[in-house]
Amino acid sequence: MSRRSVLTLGAALGLAGVALPRAAWSWSPVGSVLGSGAGTDPQWVWDDEIDRIMATVIDSGQVPAVNGALASWVDNGQPVPAGLPADLAGFLQRSTAMPAWADMAKLRRAADFNRRKDTYLFLIYGLGGGIMSTVIPREAKSVYWSKGGADMQDRAAKTFTFGYDLSDIDAFERTGQFTVTSNKTRLVHAAVRHLLPRSPYWKAVADETIPISNQDILVTFHSTGTFAHKKLKEWKVPMSAADEDAFLHAWQVALHFLGVRDEYIPATWAAAHSQAAQILTPKLAWTPEGQDLAEVLLGLTAQVDLGVTRGFLNEFVRYQLGNDIGDWLGLKRDYVSAATIRTGWPAYIAFREGLLPIAPIGFYMFDQFVRALAMAFLNRGGSGTTTPITIPDINRPGL
């Protein structure tokens, strides 16, 4: 990728201070929720304890039994289920506990904020972060060549519903599900770290020997949470300082539950954007795996026909991510839709936020567009009440 492309992407994604790829990790742990740390590059940090446990579960053939035991474990208030290996049960007893720095008042405010801004977050997570993930080479290759890549529609739905669970009104309450969802996802990550290095197909294209490091998870956060924060600001969506802080706090707790060390979790949005400028934007690039994933994501809405054209969809991706990424993915231009979005989306936001007295032309079209995306991504248009997560025991078969 050229220097000009990196800087153009940085501008399109609204990430300040974009620099060329650096040879060494330089983000200071002083900017983390912990406020201190060793400063070790998170690219070389995984999730050692659960990685060992899940390797044993897989190699001893216990995956079906573990999946069976985990199936009914859904709500945060439920105890860790019986029937799990003792070391796994003990790990989950500890890993589901809230970190000492978690603030339930902030998490409740974040839940209310997510409820109020869910229309915008659907589009940012689904089209913005979702499509951006397809041009994060390590993420695209890991997703594609793992077991979930064999059914990318299902995989995309699960990824989207992870964000939906995080945005739910009771995400961190005993009646919510996100604590369980995030910990199940942590187990899946550990399983993939054990399995994927055995795949000759992944090894042939990967530039790492073990996937899903702490840095990889942080990159995903920046392509969703940090990106969402920048887009909400860019779109002039009204947010109080307390709302912004609470929104970040929900993501901070989510990263902790996913096994990211506290010394890498940004304490402020300024720290988050600084970290993103180092580890996200310079790494974006096209891959054949990412191209296939993008087509699956963009094809999902065609199954829920609410008048959304593919040209309109392509242009909304370009509106969020810029033309560099749109061109990488070969998204055909629709200049009429592009003009409609440029003028209509800001007016749509202004009306929803009470800044315009009369609904603008095209208001219903944008409402239908959001509805189509929500229906398409939430479990293939079905119920979004539970994210079905199972531990894999194989990789994607070779094609």
Side-chain angles (χ1 to χ4, degrees):
M1 187 190 301
S2 69
R3 179 186 177 89
R4 181 181 179 280
S5 294
V6 171
L7 295 175
T8 303
L9 277 172
L13 300 177
L15 297 173
V18 174
L20 291 175
R22 299 178 183 179
W25 167 257
S26 61
W27 190 83
S28 172
V30 173
S32 72
V33 294
L34 196 60
S36 63
T40 305
D41 188 338
Q43 177 52 51
W44 308 110
V45 175
W46 290 274
D47 204 352
D48 296 343
E49 181 182 2
I50 192 58
D51 287 352
R52 288 193 297 270
I53 292 170
M54 293 310 298
T56 299
V57 166
I58 292 168
D59 291 344
S60 61
Q62 298 180 78
V63 171
V66 168
N67 279 331
L70 292 175
S72 61
W73 189 43
V74 174
D75 294 334
N76 300 337
Q78 292 178 262
V80 172
L84 295 174
D87 53 356
L88 177 55
F91 175 85
L92 291 174
Q93 291 283 0
R94 289 177 278 109
S95 68
T96 52
M98 279 284 187
W101 45 263
D103 184 330
M104 283 306 301
K106 285 186 179 181
L107 293 175
R108 286 169 183 144
R109 187 179 188 107
D112 181 65
F113 174 79
N114 286 325
R115 175 189 59 80
R116 288 183 279 119
K117 309 302 181 185
D118 62 356
T119 297
Y120 318 125
L121 292 174
F122 269 136
L123 288 180
I124 294 169
Y125 291 156
L127 280 188
I131 299 302
M132 198 194 307
S133 73
T134 72
V135 292
I136 300 172
R138 286 183 173 178
E139 182 169 349
K141 292 171 183 177
S142 293
V143 168
Y144 188 87
W145 290 112
S146 62
K147 183 180 181 181
D151 187 347
M152 289 186 289
Q153 180 177 333
D154 180 65
R155 177 64 172 74
K158 289 176 180 177
T159 300
F160 186 82
T161 49
F162 178 91
Y164 183 84
D165 281 358
L166 175 59
S167 301
D168 195 43
I169 192 65
D170 58 352
F172 293 97
E173 306 290 345
R174 289 180 58 80
T175 52
Q177 299 179 357
F178 185 75
T179 300
V180 172
T181 294
S182 55
N183 272 276
K184 284 185 176 181
T185 302
R186 188 174 180 178
L187 303 187
V188 171
H189 286 171
V192 171
R193 280 190 288 267
H194 185 60
L195 290 167
L196 210 47
R198 301 176 176 181
S199 166
Y201 307 100
W202 178 78
K203 289 171 68 176
V205 297
D207 67 347
E208 54 186 344
T209 55
I210 303 173
I212 320 179
S213 67
N214 266 207
Q215 184 176 125
D216 293 334
I217 298 172
L218 287 165
V219 167
T220 300
F221 155 62
H222 292 308
S223 72
T224 48
T226 307
F227 178 69
H229 179 252
K230 288 299 293 187
K231 282 299 166 184
L232 292 172
K233 299 283 279 188
E234 181 183 301
W235 291 345
K236 297 180 172 60
V237 175
M239 297 183 290
S240 68
D243 282 342
E244 291 184 57
D245 188 41
F247 181 55
L248 174 60
H249 193 59
W251 276 104
Q252 289 168 336
V253 177
L255 288 169
H256 175 89
F257 280 145
L258 288 173
V260 174
R261 293 184 184 176
D262 291 352
E263 69 174 275
Y264 302 129
I265 300 175
T268 65
W269 279 121
H273 291 296
S274 171
Q275 192 183 86
Q278 183 183 63
I279 66 173
L280 171 62
T281 312
K283 298 178 183 296
L284 300 178
W286 179 90
T287 63
E289 292 89 352
Q291 181 78 60
D292 281 356
L293 289 168
E295 283 304 311
V296 170
L297 285 166
L298 293 170
L300 280 171
T301 55
Q303 301 175 34
V304 185
D305 185 8
L306 294 175
V308 179
T309 68
R310 177 59 189 266
F312 190 88
L313 197 62
N314 288 350
E315 291 300 334
F316 215 104
V317 171
R318 287 177 177 270
Y319 181 68
Q320 290 198 63
L321 299 181
N323 287 325
D324 284 330
I325 290 177
D327 291 345
W328 289 352
L329 297 175
L331 303 183
K332 293 182 180 179
R333 298 305 308 257
D334 181 335
Y335 293 102
V336 172
S337 291
T340 299
I341 293 165
R342 281 197 307 271
T343 58
W345 184 245
Y348 173 83
I349 291 174
F351 178 74
R352 283 188 58 91
E353 297 296 328
L355 303 177
L356 284 180
I358 301 173
I361 295 173
F363 179 85
Y364 179 73
M365 176 190 66
F366 282 110
D367 251 12
Q368 290 290 85
F369 180 49
V370 175
R371 184 182 169 204
L373 281 174
M375 290 179 66
F377 284 111
L378 291 179
N379 293 333
R380 304 189 183 200
S383 169
T385 58
T386 301
T387 305
I389 297 174
T390 54
I391 310 301
D393 54 3
I394 60 170
N395 293 310
R396 179 188 179 122
L399 303 180

